[in-house]
Amino acid sequence: MRLETFPLIAGAILGLIALALLFDAWVPDNIIVPEERRRRQRLERDRLGEALVGLGVLAMAAAFVGRDTWRYSIVAVIAGSVLLLWGAKRNGGYLREAFVRGDKPKPKVAEGPRRVR
């Protein structure tokens, strides 16, 4: 396998990820998972933000596939970066809750001996 085929493979994989993100942004939530099973309600994701992330990843995939010979690869990288950052900003609360404040178990408090009256 030649070294020049790795950007093509990476671009194809990124393209599939981008299409999955775009599909997930535009279909209703109850198609894949019927209902929420968590006890605590979680923040809603911004569908436009997720679509922007998908378009940003798609632009990056196009830049990978275009390699150095495509004359718009720099424009695709800049547009992809802007779209990725814009989509991440729109979904900032959702991402923060997913990565920082996840469902962590509460620490157990050690109980001392009880007094009997």
Side-chain angles (χ1 to χ4, degrees):
M1 181 187 299
R2 295 179 53 179
L3 191 61
E4 291 86 12
T5 59
F6 285 120
L8 296 175
I9 294 170
I13 291 171
L14 279 177
L16 289 175
I17 291 171
L19 291 178
L21 282 170
L22 288 171
F23 176 76
D24 187 43
W26 282 319
V27 297
D29 284 337
N30 57 2
I31 287 181
I32 298 171
V33 178
E35 64 184 49
E36 185 69 35
R37 296 184 305 214
R38 292 183 177 207
R39 289 184 214 160
R40 188 173 59 100
Q41 191 71 10
R42 81 181 152 176
L43 286 175
E44 285 290 321
R45 72 183 192 276
D46 186 25
R47 291 181 179 275
L48 178 61
E50 187 177 7
L52 289 172
V53 169
L55 290 173
V57 172
L58 194 62
M60 294 294 184
F64 269 115
V65 171
R67 296 181 288 188
D68 291 338
T69 58
W70 189 38
R71 64 189 311 185
Y72 297 109
S73 63
I74 295 175
V75 175
V77 169
I78 292 171
S81 300
V82 168
L83 289 170
L84 281 171
L85 290 174
W86 189 13
K89 181 165 175 32
R90 287 189 64 106
N91 276 323
Y94 180 76
L95 292 172
R96 194 174 308 111
E97 181 181 334
F99 290 118
V100 176
R101 288 184 264 144
D103 292 334
K104 297 177 184 175
K106 294 181 181 176
K108 293 183 180 181
V109 178
E111 294 183 18
R114 294 186 180 181
R115 286 189 189 179
V116 179
R117 291 186 181 187

